[in-house]
Amino acid sequence: MKPVPRPCKYCRRPTTNVNGFCDDHQDKYKDPRRLYDDRRGSPSKRGYDAAWTKFRAWYLANNPLCVMCQKEGRLTPANEVHHIKPLIEGGARLDENNCMALCHSCHSKITAEWRGKRN
């Protein structure tokens, strides 16, 4: 089955490209996830270096279960370390008192709530 032509998001000429831009305007397309990552900076620029990697491994070894899941009576392995006071707000990066072990799902929920409060 052939893709249905749709108007280019830039010039309105018909295109079947998945991203919605015709061949002449592919340079106008930028994946929204990449735009976010470009603004955010690389992990190393945000402070996640070799010292963080070592600290993270140590912290998860000593705190193997998700704190939030435990509060709800579930035993879920933790695979992410969350900064209670975000680094952008002056939180201590390698301080175990500023960290909590979380599963990916709980970390995503907490981060989304925090982003919602900031906007």
Side-chain angles (χ1 to χ4, degrees):
M1 181 182 247
K2 286 185 174 182
V4 177
R6 299 175 192 263
C8 170
K9 293 179 181 178
Y10 188 79
C11 69
R12 311 302 292 163
R13 287 194 330 232
T15 183
T16 56
N17 291 335
V18 176
N19 66 14
F21 290 87
C22 68
D23 293 336
D24 293 338
H25 295 110
Q26 285 298 306
D27 62 324
K28 305 293 183 196
Y29 172 72
K30 189 89 163 174
D31 185 345
R33 291 170 296 189
R34 288 202 56 200
L35 286 173
Y36 174 71
D37 286 343
D38 290 348
R39 286 192 314 266
R40 192 171 175 215
S42 68
S44 63
K45 285 184 180 176
R46 295 189 325 263
Y48 299 106
D49 55 8
W52 167 254
T53 303
K54 187 175 178 180
F55 173 82
R56 179 186 181 280
W58 170 85
Y59 191 84
L60 289 173
N62 287 293
N63 302 278
L65 298 175
C66 174
V67 174
M68 300 302 288
C69 288
Q70 279 184 304
K71 287 180 182 176
E72 296 176 7
R74 296 188 313 264
L75 297 178
T76 308
N79 51 18
E80 298 189 16
V81 178
H82 172 71
H83 286 102
I84 297 166
K85 182 174 184 180
L87 302 180
I88 198 168
E89 293 178 2
R93 184 172 70 102
L94 301 176
D95 180 5
E96 66 181 293
N97 295 318
N98 188 41
C99 293
M100 60 194 294
L102 298 172
C103 64
H104 177 74
S105 176
C106 289
H107 193 218
S108 294
K109 287 176 194 171
I110 289 175
T111 302
E113 287 172 14
W114 176 77
R115 284 194 183 126
K117 289 176 186 174
R118 284 187 70 211
N119 293 336

